[in-house]
Amino acid sequence: MKTIAIIGGGFSGTLTAVNLSRMSDQPLRVVIINAKRPLGRGTAYGTSRPEHLLNVAARNMSALPDFPTHFFDWLRTRVEFNDMPDKELREMFAPRRVYGDYLRGLLATVLNPIDTRCQVHVETINDEAVDIAIDDHDHATVLLKSGESVEADQVLLATGVQPPSSFPSDAPLGHDSRYCADPWADLQSKLPPPGRRIVLLGTGLTMVDVVLTLGKLGWEGKIVAVSRNGMLPKSHFRGIAYEDYIPENAESLGLHGLIQLIEKHCDRLRQMSQNPAIAVDKLRPHTQRLWQSFSKEEKLEFRGKYAARWNVTRHRIAVAIHDAITDALDCGRLKVVAGSIEKLAPNEQNIEVLLRDADGAEFSQSGDLVVNCTGVQSRFSKAGLPLFDNLLRKELVCSDELDMGLLVNDDFAVIGGDGQPSQVLYAMGPLLLGQLWETIAVPELRGQAMRVAENMLEREPVAVEEADVIEYYI
Ligand SMILES: Cc1cc2nc3c(=O)[nH]c(=O)nc-3n(C[C@H](O)[C@H](O)[C@H](O)COP(=O)(O)OP(=O)(O)OC[C@H]3O[C@@H](n4cnc5c(N)ncnc54)[C@H](O)[C@@H]3O)c2cc1C
């Protein structure tokens, strides 16, 4: 019987297993290897905190592209939403732990199928994959940290969001209780007494989660959030139906032409007293295609000059969450500081964060606790992940030209060091950030999980109507 190993049991790995299970008409064994984050839930939906909400409305969060209302229909089965009218439920930003329940429930249906005709056997292993060996007959052996191994005919790399980057430090911080390298794992146990100061490294979505949790826990003290640009995620809003203004030949515009076009539509929306983010949302169905048409220099320019603005505009937060952050700023509980983080300097009293402002001047912020809320490593090949260090060394994979992740072909088969697509290895999700740019949120990942399953099973793709991925509500 053919075996497919899936490394990573977050949204991407789970949904690929679900799709393999519902699409395969041949006997098949699927082994999900997952470590560190909760199985089925992964990084984003593994939180147990009720204040951590989805940043996409329920109507857009179906895990299955061919059943666009699947998540909404599932929410309807939950008693706590009985009294909520359909319209409100569709626009709701559900708690992420509830979405985790949805994914875990989907996984349960394939681990223990009630349809006795199902020919797919799915099993899970709680272990870290550290290497893959591929023999001359294209047979793979996935080596696990425990010393065990899994034999497979095909392997999907669905390892998701990389751990945040670390910072230079005057002293090792690994065992320093005043440093929290992983806010998802050990924030609460490290909180300083009330009245002290917490410095958050990063001003993005993870920082927002941490500020909300500190509020919910009733922690009283000052919070300082620092990032290079000091930009905070913007809020969702009520928008308008707006024209699809991206021309079919938009690739020929190049980065500068495209920016001009977007700015023109942002201005037009402002003149109409509408939110210019509508113009950015309209790009979404075209983003991967346009990103791939850019030269390396254009991609670098976009990342350096526009990515921060893009991120806060594209990855917006629920209005209620934005209000809570604004309140924290207004009452002085939270302060946002712009500066590049140079290094961390632990001393007897606290940890000093040494920063440099836009004019090159040095300054610092000290915290009784410093929490790393930054995003992924800027260089994938230097992230120090054992699995990828081994795969890169053996040239079974290669990193993209910006070194943000891996390269795949149109079928999601991994491109090796020889430039050829692998017959065995596939990859999806945030690992493809450098190649696709827009490959993080559920509206993109659900389509990938289906395409990857179809490709691994060598099936013709099922035609799926593009779901509505516009983020504002009308
Ligand atoms: C905090 C947060 C909130 C988000 N909110 C939303 C939202 O509201 N709406 C939306 O559309 N998108 C959201 N996203 C984006 C998106 O949904 C997630 O990034 C998505 O869940 C990614 O899923 P994944 O399975 O690819 O990766 P992950 O969720 O990171 O899962 C990967 C899994 O693989 C494991 N793993 C990694 N390496 C190995 C290894 N070598 N061996 C074994 N296991 C390994 C990891 O520990 C993890 O369990 C959010 C992302 C984050 C981080």
Side-chain angles (χ1 to χ4, degrees):
M1 185 174 25
K2 174 170 159 174
T3 298
I4 293 178
I6 297 178
I7 304 179
F11 179 93
S12 301
T14 299
L15 262 298
T16 305
V18 168
N19 287 318
L20 287 169
S21 189
R22 70 192 177 114
M23 290 191 306
S24 178
D25 46 19
Q26 304 290 323
L28 178 68
R29 178 174 170 246
V30 178
V31 184
I32 304 176
I33 302 158
N34 184 65
K36 295 191 181 134
R37 306 296 187 198
L39 176 69
R41 299 170 189 267
T43 314
Y45 313 113
T47 175
S48 56
R49 304 285 322 170
E51 67 274 12
H52 295 162
L53 303 187
L54 292 177
N55 53 25
V56 175
R59 70 177 142 83
N60 241 342
M61 285 296 286
S62 168
L64 302 168
D66 46 343
F67 292 97
T69 62
H70 197 264
F71 178 54
F72 168 80
D73 295 338
W74 178 86
L75 279 177
R76 263 281 156 257
T77 67
R78 307 232 344 171
V79 70
E80 68 262 46
F81 304 119
N82 267 359
D83 295 335
M84 200 181 270
D86 280 359
K87 194 164 178 260
E88 219 175 290
L89 191 64
R90 262 197 292 275
E91 298 299 336
M92 181 180 70
F93 297 93
R96 294 211 302 272
R97 65 180 188 176
V98 170
Y99 195 75
D101 292 345
Y102 166 64
L103 297 179
R104 198 67 173 80
L106 274 168
L107 180 62
T109 62
V110 297
L111 288 173
N112 304 297
I114 48 172
D115 185 348
T116 48
R117 290 163 302 178
C118 178
Q119 304 199 65
V120 181
H121 175 79
V122 183
E123 55 195 91
T124 63
I125 295 178
N126 180 11
D127 208 335
E128 182 183 343
V130 290
D131 198 0
I132 301 173
I134 300 179
D135 70 16
D136 294 343
H137 305 288
D138 282 339
H139 184 85
T141 305
V142 182
L143 305 171
L144 307 179
K145 196 174 174 184
S146 63
E148 301 286 315
S149 60
V150 176
E151 305 294 321
D153 301 284
Q154 290 168 319
V155 182
L156 172 65
L157 304 168
T159 52
V161 185
Q162 295 164 52
S165 45
S166 53
F167 295 96
S169 171
D170 284 349
L173 289 163
H175 297 290
D176 194 322
S177 60
R178 302 166 305 175
Y179 183 67
C180 176
D182 183 354
W184 312 116
D186 56 356
L187 175 68
Q188 210 164 333
S189 63
K190 294 190 164 180
L191 288 186
R196 300 288 178 88
R197 206 162 187 267
I198 296 182
V199 176
L200 307 180
L201 309 179
T203 58
L205 298 174
T206 307
M207 180 282 294
V208 169
D209 272 1
V210 172
V211 172
L212 292 176
T213 296
L214 292 173
K216 267 275 180 262
L217 292 172
W219 185 81
E220 284 177 12
K222 297 278 182 222
I223 308 168
V224 179
V226 298
S227 73
R228 191 172 297 133
N229 47 63
M231 286 184 198
L232 294 171
K234 293 187 187 299
S235 172
H236 280 294
F237 57 89
R238 186 174 291 279
I240 53 164
Y242 191 71
E243 65 177 292
D244 288 317
Y245 68 90
I246 303 293
E248 265 185 31
N249 66 345
E251 283 96 328
S252 64
L253 294 174
L255 175 65
H256 294 153
L258 192 63
I259 297 284
Q260 267 180 13
L261 181 67
I262 299 168
E263 298 284 12
K264 186 175 111 187
H265 283 271
C266 287
D267 284 346
R268 185 177 291 172
L269 282 155
R270 282 189 200 98
Q271 282 160 15
M272 295 160 71
S273 303
Q274 293 295 331
N275 194 319
I278 292 172
V280 177
D281 282 0
K282 283 283 172 185
L283 267 171
R284 189 155 179 186
H286 312 279
T287 309
Q288 293 186 352
R289 177 171 60 91
L290 294 172
W291 175 258
Q292 285 177 299
S293 74
F294 291 160
S295 65
K296 182 178 175 186
E297 289 65 36
E298 286 176 315
K299 287 177 186 169
L300 285 169
E301 185 179 343
F302 180 84
R303 210 174 60 171
K305 270 172 67 178
Y306 305 104
R309 253 169 76 201
W310 166 275
N311 280 332
V312 295
T313 309
R314 256 290 292 112
H315 303 289
R316 295 193 294 271
I317 50 181
V319 175
I321 294 200
H322 192 266
D323 289 350
I325 297 295
T326 308
D327 282 351
L329 286 166
D330 288 349
C331 71
R333 199 165 71 83
L334 170 67
K335 187 171 129 191
V336 172
V337 172
S340 299
I341 302 162
E342 299 268 298
K343 74 170 178 179
L344 308 183
N347 55 45
E348 270 183 24
Q349 290 79 41
N350 49 38
I351 297 181
E352 209 167 343
V353 180
L354 303 175
L355 299 140
R356 199 175 287 278
D357 71 15
D359 300 323
E362 284 181 5
F363 67 109
S364 72
Q365 293 286 337
S366 53
D368 300 294
L369 174 68
V370 173
V371 186
N372 191 348
C373 303
T374 54
V376 296
Q377 304 272 347
S378 54
R379 292 196 59 191
F380 177 74
S381 62
K382 299 280 176 267
L385 304 168
L387 174 63
F388 292 106
D389 283 352
N390 285 322
L391 297 185
L392 284 164
R393 183 177 44 77
K394 293 197 276 191
E395 298 196 350
L396 288 175
V397 303
C398 63
S399 47
D400 61 75
E401 58 184 353
L402 265 54
D403 199 8
M404 294 174 76
L406 299 184
L407 276 183
V408 293
N409 70 3
D410 289 347
D411 292 334
F412 297 95
V414 166
I415 306 290
D418 58 359
Q420 297 303 313
S422 170
Q423 302 298 312
V424 180
L425 294 182
Y426 290 77
M428 65 170 290
L431 273 176
L432 311 184
L433 201 57
Q435 181 168 345
L436 300 176
W437 188 257
E438 184 87 77
T439 178
I440 283 197
V442 166
E444 279 74 33
L445 298 189
R446 63 180 166 222
Q448 286 185 18
M450 184 135 156
R451 291 285 99 81
V452 168
E454 286 166 339
N455 293 337
M456 288 180 128
L457 296 173
E458 294 182 54
R459 280 174 59 116
E460 282 299 309
V462 173
V464 174
E465 221 172 277
E466 275 294 321
D468 158 32
V469 290
I470 297 302
E471 297 296 3
Y472 49 88
Y473 43 105
I474 297 174

